[in-house]
Amino acid sequence: MVGPPGAGKGTQARRLSAERRLCRISTGDLLRAAVDAGTPLGKMADEFMSRGELVPDDVILDLVAEELGRPACAGGTVFDGFPRSVGQAEGLDRILGRGGERVDRVLEIDVPEEEVLRRLAGRRVCKNCEKLYHISFGPSQVEGRCDVCGGELVQREDDHPETIQRRLAVYRQTTSPVLSYYEERPGVTVIPGDRPVDEVAARVRRELAAVGSGA
Ligand code: AP5
């Protein structure tokens, strides 16, 4: 799943992975876990993430290769916010090619920038279980607390106006060309993301109905 920051990739990828029992690889979540754990990788990644810049391709590809080696990913994977550069797309093809696998579908979740700004400014994440909320479009029942586990809801460090602008610029310059990379094979399906979450999910489901059924 490709799309600008705040397009709803994480929201949709989580649903898809639960519904289809697919492994979900979110490079953003993996990096944030490393930052929280204070590992050398996390310390290095934090420098890039806090500025809204991309973490170098070789680091990302090593992370993805390691994740793909987990038994949970043997039945198929949904990539959430990866690949984000043509170098990463080429690297992914190499990694998958070793096991005779390939990218089946590319979904671009398309959302206008004004909507991105509204979504990211209001996003809250459970510190404990990572469930996503939005203060206006999908609030928790008790302000500041997760409905599922009661954990504290926090704002992501990179969800501040200047960093959001930089993330959008990086998306336009470096990530958009990934869509051209996939244009010929397997092709890119554009999904309007400025619709209610359930509607977007229904469209994702329809687009992927044939994947894994041999079609
Ligand atoms: P990452 O964590 O991947 O962030 P991102 O791509 O900027 O995307 P977001 O997580 O902000 O948004 P999303 O599209 O998942 O939307 P969400 O579902 O949360 O990356 C963060 C940083 O890590 C990068 O800037 C970079 O530094 C680094 N990084 C990560 N991957 C990398 C890579 N491959 N290479 C190099 N560096 C990398 O939804 C947003 C909000 O909107 C939520 O509040 C949600 O509840 C709400 N919402 C969702 N859908 C809807 C809807 N349909 N209607 C109304 N509200 C909605």
Side-chain angles (χ1 to χ4, degrees), residues 17-209:
S17 113
E19 284 175 16
R20 298 281 298 260
R21 299 210 184 116
L22 293 168
C23 158
R24 179 178 72 97
I25 297 184
S26 157
T27 42
D29 285 355
L30 291 172
L31 293 169
R32 273 184 293 279
V35 171
D36 288 348
T39 62
L41 164 69
K43 284 182 184 142
M44 183 274 282
D46 196 28
E47 306 252 314
F48 292 91
M49 295 169 81
S50 57
R51 294 198 309 264
E53 304 288 344
L54 294 184
V55 173
D57 287 354
D58 53 343
V59 174
I60 296 292
L61 288 167
D62 283 351
L63 266 181
V64 168
E66 193 181 328
E67 282 295 299
L68 278 172
R70 288 193 297 124
C73 295
T77 298
V78 50
F79 294 102
D80 168 1
F82 167 86
R84 265 170 135 101
S85 67
V86 171
Q88 291 182 18
E90 290 168 345
L92 178 62
D93 279 348
R94 280 194 301 275
I95 295 168
L96 292 177
R98 285 180 216 143
E101 293 177 311
R102 59 179 192 166
V103 174
D104 287 312
R105 290 282 195 285
V106 177
L107 304 184
E108 177 194 3
I109 307 205
D110 185 33
V111 170
E113 290 196 4
E114 318 82 74
E115 176 68 9
V116 162
L117 295 174
R118 265 196 299 275
R119 286 188 186 179
L120 295 186
R123 171 166 57 188
R124 298 293 181 271
V125 188
C126 175
K127 228 175 155 178
N128 184 39
C129 74
E130 295 177 357
K131 185 170 166 53
L132 291 173
Y133 295 88
H134 189 282
I135 53 173
S136 315
F137 311 136
S140 58
Q141 281 164 16
V142 176
E143 198 185 327
R145 287 285 152 196
C146 178
D147 295 346
V148 178
C149 71
E152 185 191 353
L153 302 187
V154 293
Q155 187 168 26
R156 254 170 58 174
E157 245 187 59
D158 57 351
D159 278 349
H160 295 285
E162 323 75 65
T163 322
I164 294 171
Q165 291 295 352
R166 184 62 201 141
R167 287 161 63 200
L168 280 167
V170 168
Y171 181 77
R172 286 191 293 267
Q173 285 156 15
T174 312
T175 306
S176 293
V178 170
L179 298 168
S180 311
Y181 178 87
Y182 286 125
E183 212 160 74
E184 267 193 26
R185 205 208 65 74
V188 175
T189 304
V190 182
I191 299 203
D194 55 348
R195 308 291 312 153
V197 172
D198 287 345
E199 215 177 286
V200 180
R203 178 74 199 279
V204 168
R205 218 175 282 130
R206 273 204 307 281
E207 291 301 334
L208 297 182

